Amino acid sequence: MDLFNSEIDETKNLLPEGGIVNYYGRLLSPPEADHYLTYLLTAIPWKPDEAFIFGKHYVTKRKVAWYADIPYEYTYSNITKRALPWTPQLLELKQLVEEKTGEHFNSCLLNLYPTGDEGMAWHSDDEKDLKKHGAIASLSLGAERRFSFRHKQTKETVSLALPHGSLLVMKGTTQTHWLHRLPPTKRVKHARVNLTFRTMID
Ligand SMILES: O=C(O)CCC(=O)C(=O)O
């Protein structure tokens, strides 16, 4: 029996229409999640994220890193990032995520939110560099944060909490019909790291 996730139905679609989101609960035990969090906080060459929006250059307190099978270039918010090669620990996490979800991924975007003051605004992961309707698996480590979806037409919202070591998967037409965001919160004072495993097109 899975002692972490006895109440969770991984096959349930959290969205009422227009996409598929599955929540797997905790993929990692708390000690495993602590181990990977410490590794990620200390070993990843984190850099502030950047954006060019309406000609203005923004630099965020949220930090990012981009890894992949080959040096894929990923462009979002009008900035292009070139992927670093996987580390052994990131490959371990990728393998765990792939075994759990039955999906295959060739890249991973890492986000570090130093405190609850940092979040991510409403958006879809629908850039042309990504495989259309490809699965995106989101592994969360560190501070538990709320995560929300909003339907682009109906404005219906769906929210859930993402605890330390938990896994969420977005697939099908989710990015076409839904936005998602990580709202900032004054209640969270410590760091969260999120890894989104993705599929880039060659
Ligand atoms: O940190 C998160 O959970 C969300 C990250 C996100 O929305 C993204 O990488 O597109």
Side-chain angles (χ1 to χ4, degrees):
M1 184 177 125
D2 184 340
L3 293 174
F4 304 119
N5 299 317
S6 51
E7 302 295 304
I8 290 168
D9 177 1
E10 303 172 355
T11 64
K12 183 180 167 199
N13 185 3
L14 302 189
L15 300 180
E17 57 166 315
I20 301 169
V21 172
N22 297 126
Y23 178 61
Y24 289 81
R26 292 185 195 267
L27 177 71
L28 303 170
S29 68
E32 286 170 334
D34 289 349
H35 160 79
Y36 283 110
L37 178 63
T38 302
Y39 164 75
L40 293 165
L41 288 173
T42 52
I44 297 294
W46 295 105
K47 297 205 170 69
D49 207 1
E50 295 176 67
F52 262 116
I53 300 169
F54 298 119
K56 197 162 181 273
H57 185 216
Y58 294 87
V59 178
T60 66
K61 286 198 188 133
R62 175 177 51 79
K63 301 207 168 79
V64 286
W66 169 234
Y67 288 80
D69 289 0
I70 58 173
Y72 286 120
E73 294 195 339
Y74 185 23
T75 303
Y76 64 86
S77 305
N78 297 312
I79 301 275
T80 300
K81 296 174 172 53
R82 173 175 274 253
L84 297 171
W86 297 109
T87 68
Q89 293 84 350
L90 287 172
L91 279 178
E92 286 166 13
L93 291 173
K94 181 166 103 76
Q95 191 178 340
L96 287 172
V97 168
E98 289 179 339
E99 281 168 2
K100 189 69 177 173
T101 61
E103 303 282 350
H104 179 75
F105 304 99
N106 63 14
S107 51
C108 185
L109 183 68
L110 284 69
N111 276 288
L112 163 59
Y113 307 85
T115 69
D117 289 343
E118 285 78 48
M120 202 180 284
W122 290 115
H123 68 284
S124 301
D125 296 336
D126 57 359
E127 295 83 16
K128 63 174 175 35
D129 300 327
L130 292 173
K131 180 179 166 190
K132 198 169 171 69
H133 301 156
I136 296 179
S138 165
L139 178 64
S140 293
L141 294 160
E144 178 170 316
R145 297 281 296 264
R146 197 167 175 74
F147 187 71
S148 301
F149 294 91
R150 188 175 74 191
H151 193 278
K152 292 181 186 177
Q153 271 79 44
T154 67
K155 312 293 180 207
E156 181 172 359
T157 60
V158 174
S159 296
L160 74 162
L162 296 178
H164 191 33
S166 67
L167 179 67
L168 178 86
V169 175
M170 308 181 260
K171 58 187 186 183
T173 55
T174 303
Q175 308 302 330
T176 308
H177 298 297
W178 293 79
L179 304 166
H180 56 267
R181 75 162 175 164
L182 187 84
T185 169
K186 287 281 167 220
R187 278 179 290 120
V188 171
K189 303 291 179 203
H190 58 285
R192 170 175 182 269
V193 170
N194 177 256
L195 288 72
T196 44
F197 292 93
R198 299 159 185 250
T199 305
M200 294 289 282
I201 46 179
D202 291 308

